[in-house]
Amino acid sequence: MRNESPHLRDCLESIQGQSFGNWELLAVDDHSQDQSLAILDSFACKDSRIRVLHNPGSGLVDALNYGISSSRFELIARMDADDLMTPKRLELQVAFLKKHPSCGLVASKVHHFPSSCGNARRGFELYAEWTNELVSWDDLWLNRFVDCTFAHPSVLFRRRIVSGCGAYRNGSFPEDFELWLRWMQAGVKMAKIDKHLLYWRDHQGRTSRNSDRYSKESFQRVKAEYLGYWLAQSKVSSGRRILVWGAGKVAGKFTKILLHAKIGVSGLVDPDPKKKGMRINGLAVDSIDSIPSPKKCFVLILAGARGVRAQIKQFLDERGFHNGQDYLALA
């Protein structure tokens, strides 16, 4: 955490108020310049379960990895200093992993707060609503390339996964999204409790609003990288053409990234008849009626406007395509 004094006391009190009491809090201070460190020290003096650590590196990823390496427990709960836990968060998540030993990570639904105040916060509010709709493993797996399918500070995971699959990585990409895709690719099963166990605070100072690591292009590059790994490993597209659904500006830029990542896209389709015959990144655009049978093609959905994805899935389902086998959404 760094410079979180306005919200830190409330966060710490929500952790102390957990019904599950056998925890240690590793509060990693990332060179704060406000009163955050003083607040942490004041809580640690009164509660031996709180350990104040100082990031030996710099930035979120270094702080996260230092916290994990310093932990004495098998289970790691992620938490941001400006969020709030509901009283039973740890109790329910710990119980879930004990009951499901094959599961490596469990998240939860989240309350996005404060309420939307115009367009500035509406995007994150819609994102939270979307993640809350995804609960089952199938939902998490099939939507893994659309966006992060759970809020980062809502997760609890087994420490041994870090040893087997690697920790957070530094780079020009969203560190949590890259980690989840890497762990999923390695076969780590993940779940989500169908309860709101975290109050996820939104404000203008959020790193995800202000860092290039969380830009649309950064997400797309990570998607392309792990999509390539999955296509090669699963051979799901073997012997079939790879078609992209979407010929708009965003889809065009994303297709360029896919081609750069050696994803063998051979053409694009779009419902807009005006786009038929266009060429984007050297690829021809055809109508959606030209899509061959699922035996002959695998479709990547790059059109992600609200409500459109569901319509595309319905169109493909009605023609015998199956999600995850014959098509996959990336937006």
Side-chain angles (χ1 to χ4, degrees):
M1 48 137 273
R2 178 179 174 84
N3 297 337
E4 290 290 354
S5 58
H7 311 298
L8 185 54
R9 293 181 187 277
D10 290 341
C11 172
L12 294 172
E13 288 172 357
S14 78
I15 296 172
Q16 289 180 318
Q18 291 297 294
S19 57
F20 179 89
N22 186 24
W23 49 260
E24 66 168 355
L25 170 60
L26 301 180
V28 185
D29 179 62
D30 184 27
H31 313 287
S32 293
Q33 297 177 330
D34 63 357
Q35 294 301 308
S36 295
L37 189 56
I39 294 172
L40 288 176
D41 287 338
S42 68
F43 273 77
C45 286
K46 301 174 183 177
D47 193 332
S48 61
R49 297 173 298 178
I50 299 176
R51 295 167 56 197
V52 180
L53 305 178
H54 303 277
N55 186 5
S58 178
L60 177 60
V61 171
D62 288 345
L64 288 170
N65 288 334
Y66 184 57
I68 292 172
S69 67
S70 302
S71 175
R72 298 176 292 210
F73 282 64
E74 165 58 21
L75 301 180
I76 306 290
R78 173 74 174 87
M79 186 63 176
D80 279 333
D82 53 353
D83 296 328
L84 305 172
M85 291 185 181
T86 61
K88 290 193 173 184
R89 175 194 168 178
L90 294 181
E91 176 188 344
L92 294 175
Q93 289 188 311
V94 169
F96 185 95
L97 288 187
K98 286 185 177 180
K99 185 177 180 180
H100 300 87
S102 64
C103 184
L105 177 151
V106 62
S108 76
K109 292 182 174 181
V110 299
H111 290 289
H112 174 273
F113 81 108
S115 299
S116 178
C117 301
N119 293 332
R121 290 198 179 111
R122 185 55 178 160
F124 277 95
E125 193 171 40
L126 291 173
Y127 167 70
E129 291 174 3
W130 174 74
T131 65
N132 286 341
E133 294 171 357
L134 308 176
V135 176
S136 71
W137 165 246
D138 285 345
D139 285 340
L140 299 175
W141 175 254
L142 293 174
N143 288 279
R144 68 194 185 281
F145 290 119
V146 176
D147 207 330
C148 288
T149 50
F150 32 74
H152 192 183
S154 77
V155 305
L156 178 79
F157 56 83
R158 302 185 191 276
R159 184 179 177 182
R160 66 172 181 262
I161 299 174
V162 177
S163 300
C165 302
Y168 293 91
R169 292 177 179 169
N170 264 310
S172 58
F173 47 78
E175 78 292 330
D176 52 343
F177 191 43
E178 190 277 336
L179 188 71
W180 314 144
L181 290 180
R182 175 158 35 97
W183 285 5
M184 284 184 174
Q185 184 65 27
V188 176
K189 290 295 179 69
M190 303 181 181
K192 185 182 291 183
I193 292 177
D194 193 10
K195 293 181 181 295
H196 297 75
L197 301 181
L198 181 83
Y199 284 88
W200 196 38
R201 190 188 302 272
D202 193 2
H203 55 85
Q204 291 300 318
R206 282 175 59 162
T207 305
S208 50
R209 286 188 180 277
N210 301 301
S211 172
D212 290 340
R213 295 205 316 270
Y214 306 100
S215 69
K216 183 172 292 186
E217 183 178 344
S218 296
F219 271 89
Q220 290 173 345
R221 287 197 300 267
V222 173
K223 293 178 187 183
E225 177 184 358
Y226 284 93
L227 174 66
Y229 296 152
W230 177 70
L231 290 174
Q233 183 184 72
S234 67
K235 301 186 184 302
V236 71
S237 62
S238 180
R240 295 193 282 181
R241 297 178 63 200
I242 297 179
L243 298 177
V244 160
W245 184 308
K249 184 180 296 185
V250 173
K253 290 182 178 179
F254 197 172
T255 300
K256 185 175 181 179
I257 290 174
L258 293 176
L259 292 171
H260 183 74
K262 308 300 182 183
I263 308 297
V265 178
S266 63
L268 298 86
V269 297
D270 196 278
D272 186 351
K274 295 179 181 178
K275 294 180 180 178
K276 183 177 181 179
M278 292 174 56
R279 297 192 72 83
I280 298 176
N281 299 309
L283 302 173
V285 180
D286 209 338
S287 68
I288 58 176
D289 293 329
S290 71
I291 298 176
S293 72
K295 292 182 179 180
K296 296 182 178 181
C297 74
F298 186 87
V299 179
L300 300 175
I301 302 173
L302 267 60
R306 188 167 176 79
V308 171
R309 190 186 309 120
Q311 296 174 11
I312 297 172
K313 288 181 178 180
Q314 181 179 353
F315 178 95
L316 293 171
D317 290 344
E318 290 174 351
R319 284 154 180 78
F321 287 74
H322 293 89
N323 195 359
Q325 299 176 29
D326 307 310
Y327 73 86
L328 201 62
L330 306 186

